[in-house]
Amino acid sequence: MFSSIQPKLITGFIIVLLLFQGCHTNNCKDNDICIYVEKKFERIDLYVRNDKEVDVTMTIDVFRDNLLVTKELPYTETYPGKSTTLAFRLHVEDPDVKWKYQYKWSWNRGNRYAKHDDSYVYRLPYPDKHAARILQGYHGSYSHYDDDAYTVDFDMEEGTPIMAARDGVVVGVKENSKVGGGDRNFVPKGNYVIIKHLDNTIAEYYHLQYNGAVVKEGQIVKRGQHIGFSGNTGFSNWPHLHFGVYKSIDGDSRESIPVRFQTSQGILTNPVVGYYYIAI
């Protein structure tokens, strides 16, 4: 058996916070994605701080008494990596009446404005002349559905070099996990390299081995460059590489994008389970 990542379980979370008049609060996840508020007279400013390299798309909803908001709710927006942005403002409607509000928020990796370059032909994510068998292709019944519908699992021995399928910037690296298994509780344990492309889509290379990344966040990589080593970490029953290209929809959902691959057999548009494809 084999398995793949379920991105929403890795990338998303929801926090609900109740604030009353005169209270200032910061709310963060691992000190990387934060919402904080500032009260200025009869106005409350709500900011988003994204300390990650990767763009994140966030959805925020506010339930309020005696407050007006400057945006239509729920509000969804993409916040660039390494940025702090004013999301919106709340204004006290009647200063003689107490006010309060409650907000909830969720986030996903990726940019909601990404427009995939469908003319681009990706290289296979392993060395030239190497052949890999497809374990699970597009719309695989085991786990390639919903936001993983257009992703591919390549069968490969642990320690196989992984190559960048397209130029980009490394916006995510995890390589500290040593464990994997067929239970979905292993999802957060998957090692990965994530690369942002020129069109703002992101490619995810999952299940790498422990200390299996050879690139760092912020590094520019070229098509065919060595970025890591395959493994069996996370939600995975045997060594393989899970590859997918994604864009965000909102704070809770995103979509995978069908891509074409260059192979020695020609351009591959729909990877077939059980077939071997040779990289060039």
Side-chain angles (χ1 to χ4, degrees):
M1 297 294 291
F2 56 89
S3 181
S4 297
I5 195 73
Q6 292 294 319
K8 285 191 293 187
L9 296 179
I10 289 292
T11 62
F13 67 92
I14 296 177
I15 295 179
V16 179
L17 176 67
L18 185 65
L19 294 105
F20 295 93
Q21 188 168 358
C23 182
H24 299 265
T25 303
N26 295 332
N27 211 314
C28 299
K29 172 65 175 179
D30 298 330
N31 296 320
D32 286 332
I33 309 293
C34 301
I35 285 184
Y36 67 91
V37 295
E38 292 182 357
K39 181 175 179 292
K40 299 178 179 179
F41 301 103
E42 305 303 330
R43 188 185 82 201
I44 301 95
D45 293 343
L46 190 148
Y47 290 87
V48 172
R49 192 183 82 224
N50 176 16
D51 289 338
K52 291 183 177 293
E53 288 284 349
V54 68
D55 298 344
V56 299
T57 295
M58 185 179 293
T59 297
I60 309 169
D61 205 358
V62 182
F63 309 94
R64 62 203 184 277
D65 290 333
N66 193 32
L67 290 166
L68 302 174
V69 63
T70 58
K71 299 289 185 180
E72 183 177 350
L73 299 174
Y75 180 62
T76 296
E77 185 56 277
T78 293
Y79 299 95
K82 305 296 184 182
S83 71
T84 297
T85 308
L86 174 65
F88 52 79
R89 286 173 170 153
L90 301 165
H91 296 272
V92 176
E93 189 170 12
D94 183 347
D96 295 324
V97 178
K98 288 185 177 181
W99 55 264
K100 64 180 180 180
Y101 67 96
Q102 181 181 17
Y103 71 84
K104 67 177 183 179
W105 56 294
S106 56
W107 68 272
N108 253 322
R109 274 192 299 249
N111 192 312
R112 70 190 299 246
Y113 302 109
K115 294 183 178 181
H116 184 253
D117 179 2
D118 292 335
S119 69
Y120 191 84
V121 179
Y122 291 70
R123 67 157 287 141
L124 290 167
Y126 40 85
D128 290 349
K129 300 182 180 180
H130 181 88
R133 180 169 61 97
I134 303 299
L135 290 176
Q136 191 175 194
Y138 296 163
H139 303 289
S141 60
Y142 187 80
S143 61
H144 287 189
Y145 45 81
D146 296 336
D147 51 7
D148 264 341
Y150 291 103
T151 59
V152 184
D153 287 344
F154 296 97
D155 186 19
M156 56 183 63
E157 295 181 359
E158 189 162 354
T160 301
I162 302 302
M163 322 305 284
R166 183 177 173 183
D167 295 352
V169 179
V170 178
V171 293
V173 173
K174 175 179 170 59
E175 58 176 343
N176 62 354
S177 176
K178 296 181 179 181
V179 298
D183 190 296
R184 291 183 182 275
N185 289 329
F186 286 103
V187 166
K189 302 298 184 180
N191 293 327
Y192 56 76
V193 169
I194 301 173
I195 295 176
K196 178 182 176 181
H197 305 137
L198 184 62
D199 59 13
N200 287 318
T201 59
I202 57 174
E204 301 192 348
Y205 305 73
Y206 260 89
H207 308 306
L208 304 188
Q209 69 180 16
Y210 173 67
N211 284 340
V214 297
V215 292
K216 298 179 179 180
E217 289 190 7
Q219 181 176 340
I220 297 173
V221 296
K222 296 295 184 181
R223 173 189 175 102
Q225 182 174 335
H226 184 201
I227 61 172
F229 294 95
S230 65
N232 190 29
T233 59
F235 182 29
S236 176
N237 286 308
W238 67 41
H240 73 283
L241 174 71
H242 174 85
F243 175 84
V245 176
Y246 301 88
K247 65 164 290 183
S248 285
I249 297 173
D250 54 34
D252 298 298
S253 59
R254 61 181 188 167
E255 62 180 340
S256 51
I257 299 168
V259 302
R260 299 180 297 159
F261 296 96
Q262 185 70 54
T263 79
S264 66
Q265 300 101 312
I267 295 178
L268 174 63
T269 59
N270 187 18
V272 179
V273 173
Y275 277 60
Y276 287 81
Y277 296 100
I278 302 172
I280 58 173

